[in-house]
Amino acid sequence: FGDRSMGYYETIAGGAGAGPSWIGCDAVHTHMTNTRITDAEILERRYPVILREFAIRKGSGGLGLHTGGDGVRRILEFTRPLTVSILSERRSFQPYGMAGGEPGQRGLNLLYIREQQQDSDNRSSSGEFRVVSLGGKNTVEVSRGDRLVIHTPGGGGYGPVGGHETENSG
């Protein structure tokens, strides 16, 4: 997100896939190097956003003999008009499972647009939100009070649910 005076870019964690001898890790960067997300306190102090939520997305990893890792849920509220871009994957197709494991849940990017209402004295006040799905890749203009809700995908599971490990399975 940004405007003419500033810009901010981050990579957000997701769930890692499980394998023959391991469960998938929750809320990690997979296939990324040299990146780290900004601490919430620094983000809010330096940029025009409020971090409303940053949590593990419980149950988003695929089931299997070894369960895939869970993704995250991140909610940013904007405190002034900005341009916001999202570039993400696994919003249309689920992260696949391996060797009979179930897929992880898809990611989802939602924009909550705050509707403005006029009261009886013709003063503007914040009303309800209108929700727009942004898909995996998009650029939008946001206003003060709008919220970006990002659900990152969970990792795929490995092996059949209820399966049993053997001496040869890892």
Side-chain angles (χ1 to χ4, degrees), residues 61-134:
L63 298 178
L65 174 64
H66 300 287
T67 303
D70 289 331
V72 301
R73 176 178 161 99
R74 189 163 174 90
I75 302 175
L76 296 171
E77 181 174 326
F78 302 99
T79 61
R80 73 176 199 219
L82 295 167
T83 300
V84 174
S85 294
I86 187 89
L87 177 63
S88 58
E89 292 294 332
R90 296 294 178 192
R91 277 23 184 200
S92 297
F93 299 101
Q94 294 172 286
Y96 54 86
M98 297 288 293
E102 294 182 2
Q105 289 184 6
R106 290 177 190 88
L108 180 65
N109 304 316
L110 301 172
L111 180 62
Y112 282 67
I113 302 168
R114 189 174 296 277
E115 300 288 342
Q116 296 297 316
Q117 299 175 339
Q118 300 292 327
D119 65 15
S120 59
D121 295 326
N122 206 25
R123 291 180 296 203
S124 181
S125 63
S126 296
E128 299 293 318
F129 288 99
R130 180 170 50 98
V131 182
V132 176
S133 177
L134 298 178

Side-chain angles (χ1 to χ4, degrees), residues 14-103:
S21 60
W22 66 88
I23 61 170
C25 291
D26 298 336
V28 295
H29 285 90
T30 55
H31 307 296
M32 295 289 290
T33 60
N34 201 27
T35 63
R36 181 174 166 236
I37 202 160
T38 304
D39 294 333
E41 298 82 3
I42 303 299
L43 176 69
E44 292 181 341
R45 184 177 182 100
R46 294 186 182 170
Y47 299 99
V49 297
I50 300 168
L51 182 60
R52 293 288 179 193
E53 182 179 339
F54 190 33
I56 293 176
R57 189 176 166 213
K58 296 288 187 190
S60 59
L63 298 178
L65 174 64
H66 300 287
T67 303
D70 289 331
V72 301
R73 176 178 161 99
R74 189 163 174 90
I75 302 175
L76 296 171
E77 181 174 326
F78 302 99
T79 61
R80 73 176 199 219
L82 295 167
T83 300
V84 174
S85 294
I86 187 89
L87 177 63
S88 58
E89 292 294 332
R90 296 294 178 192
R91 277 23 184 200
S92 297
F93 299 101
Q94 294 172 286
Y96 54 86
M98 297 288 293
E102 294 182 2

Side-chain angles (χ1 to χ4, degrees), residues 20 158 164-170:
Y158 184 92
H164 298 287
E165 291 192 52
T166 66
E167 287 184 35
N168 295 332
S169 66

